[in-house]
């Protein structure tokens, strides 16, 4: 079992990080929270969950153990696979997710793409007792070097495509968000798009 991978960050998109560890490039699926934390760094350490299937070995990487713990809890719920769990962790931070589950906020959970009423209720029923709500760590607004809208738009649409959304609706939603909030960072554009798609 791989506990973590530490190395140079060779490539980074909002959905995937390639970490070069002693000359081997590991393609690791990441959430938006992890993307925000490692963006702009030359090296990183990601805690790993290995999903081994008949047709693929998939690595999911997390910037801290808390996020990985939540991911493992989410995939223990029937009907939630790795990609859906990653989608949930991209739509809200670990502390927000803990608050949503402990306060039984079904409607907030339903805003995540692919999560219907029954799945949201199942997540809350199965995980409510397993999640300890500590002091919710306040999310620090991550600043970003001002970039042209086109770069943000392209990156956001590419990330949404990687997460399984069709290009046309993704483009439309991202353009709408950027018109509404021109100063928004790419992570926040994607988070909002996940709620609107």
């Amino acid at each position: 079992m791989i506990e973590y991978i530490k190395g140079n960050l060779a490539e980074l998109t909002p959905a995937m990080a390639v970490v070069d560890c002693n000359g081997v490039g590991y393609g690791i699926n990441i959430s938006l929270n992890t993307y925000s934390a490692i963006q702009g760094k030359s090296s990183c350490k990601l805690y790993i969950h290995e999903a081994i299937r008949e047709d693929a070995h998939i690595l999911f990487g997390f910037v801290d153990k808390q996020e990985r713990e939540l991911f493992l809890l989410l995939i223990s719920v029937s009907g939630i696979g790795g990609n859906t769990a990653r989608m949930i962790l991209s739509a809200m931070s670990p502390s927000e997710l803990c608050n949503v589950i402990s306060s039984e906020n079904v409607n907030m959970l339903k805003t995540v793409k692919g999560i219907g009423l029954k799945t949201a209720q199942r997540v809350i029923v199965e995980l409510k007792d397993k999640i300890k709500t500590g002091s919710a760590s306040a999310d620090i607004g991550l600043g970003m070097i001002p970039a042209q809208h086109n770069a943000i738009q392209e990156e956001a649409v590419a990330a949404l495509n990687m997460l399984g959304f069709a290009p046309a609706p993704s483009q439309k939603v991202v353009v709408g968000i950027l018109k509404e909030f021109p100063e928004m960072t790419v992570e926040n554009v994607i988070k909002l798009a996940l709620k609107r798609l």
Side-chain angles (χ1 to χ4, degrees):
M1 183 181 129
I2 301 172
E3 174 63 15
Y4 65 81
I5 292 176
K6 185 178 182 179
N8 295 325
L9 203 49
E11 287 175 42
L12 182 65
T13 69
M16 167 85 67
V18 177
V19 179
D20 180 334
C21 181
N22 296 324
V24 178
Y26 292 94
I28 304 168
N29 292 291
I30 57 172
S31 71
L32 276 176
N33 292 312
T34 295
Y35 171 76
S36 301
I38 63 176
Q39 188 185 23
K41 294 186 178 174
S42 58
S43 63
C44 68
K45 174 181 178 180
L46 295 176
Y47 293 94
I48 300 295
H49 168 70
E50 234 177 326
I52 299 173
R53 300 198 313 239
E54 229 174 79
D55 59 341
H57 285 224
I58 303 166
L59 299 176
F60 291 95
F62 309 94
V63 77
D64 57 37
K65 288 184 175 180
Q66 184 201 10
E67 193 181 14
R68 181 174 66 178
E69 205 54 49
L70 279 171
F71 177 86
L72 294 173
L73 286 173
L74 286 168
I75 61 174
S76 73
V77 176
S78 88
I80 293 192
N83 281 329
T84 306
R86 180 173 66 155
M87 189 89 72
I88 294 169
L89 287 167
S90 290
M92 48 190 97
S93 72
S95 56
E96 285 172 335
L97 180 59
C98 289
N99 290 337
V100 163
I101 292 171
S102 61
S103 64
E104 301 184 30
N105 190 341
V106 175
N107 291 331
M108 186 66 182
L109 213 46
K110 272 174 35 191
T111 62
V112 179
K113 160 92 168 71
I115 302 288
L117 177 64
K118 288 214 166 92
T119 309
Q121 288 170 333
R122 198 162 45 236
V123 167
I124 287 168
V125 167
E126 290 186 30
L127 302 185
K128 168 172 74 177
D129 297 333
K130 296 178 185 173
I131 288 188
K132 303 171 192 79
T133 48
S135 61
S137 55
D139 282 335
I140 299 146
L142 291 136
M144 187 181 125
I145 303 148
Q148 293 177 329
H149 274 253
N150 291 350
I152 292 175
Q153 185 181 320
E154 281 170 25
E155 206 171 335
V157 172
L160 292 165
N161 293 347
M162 281 184 203
L163 290 169
F165 294 94
S170 301
Q171 184 83 24
K172 188 177 173 189
V173 167
V174 168
V175 168
I177 291 168
L178 285 171
K179 272 184 191 162
E180 232 176 300
F181 309 102
E183 299 302 309
M184 206 175 245
T185 63
V186 71
E187 304 90 279
N188 291 334
V189 169
I190 297 165
K191 280 186 182 184
L192 193 53
L194 287 172
K195 290 178 178 158
R196 291 186 180 182
L197 278 166

